[in-house]
Amino acid sequence: WGAPESGGDLGDAAPSLQRGVQRVYGTKHAFAAVLEGGKVVAWGNPNMGGLIPPVAAAAVERDVLTVSSNIGAFAALKEGGVVITWGDAK
């Protein structure tokens, strides 16, 4: 529920969120969930982290330990200490 442009509609992420969700994080207008196995799925405003760009998406397919967020971007910490970011670069 809520404004679709702010993550109130799961959209294409819905099938991935039916089971295995470990944690959910948010920016002002988007959400990201870490699933079992460490895959990250995002939804909401694409400019505020609701769309993971292809290069970052490949990197967050597995082994994500945790995610941090601010008003418009996400940072995922992977096993081995690698950090992957996406969202508003400003």
Side-chain angles (χ1 to χ4, degrees):
W1 64 93
E5 66 277 5
S6 294
D9 180 352
L10 297 174
D12 293 340
S16 298
L17 300 169
Q18 298 304 308
R19 58 193 300 201
V21 175
Q22 302 296 304
R23 296 208 192 289
V24 177
Y25 305 90
T27 65
K28 186 174 180 182
H29 295 285
F31 293 96
V34 178
L35 310 178
E36 289 176 348
K39 178 178 180 171
V40 176
V41 176
W43 67 98
N45 185 314
N47 297 317
M48 301 293 267
L51 176 65
I52 305 173
V55 172
V60 296
E61 280 290 316
R62 64 179 185 278
D63 302 330
V64 172
L65 300 173
T66 189
V67 173
S68 293
S69 62
N70 62 22
I71 195 168
F74 293 101
L77 175 63
K78 294 187 61 163
E79 290 179 19
V82 175
V83 174
I84 307 297
T85 62
W86 71 95
D88 187 1
K90 296 178 187 172

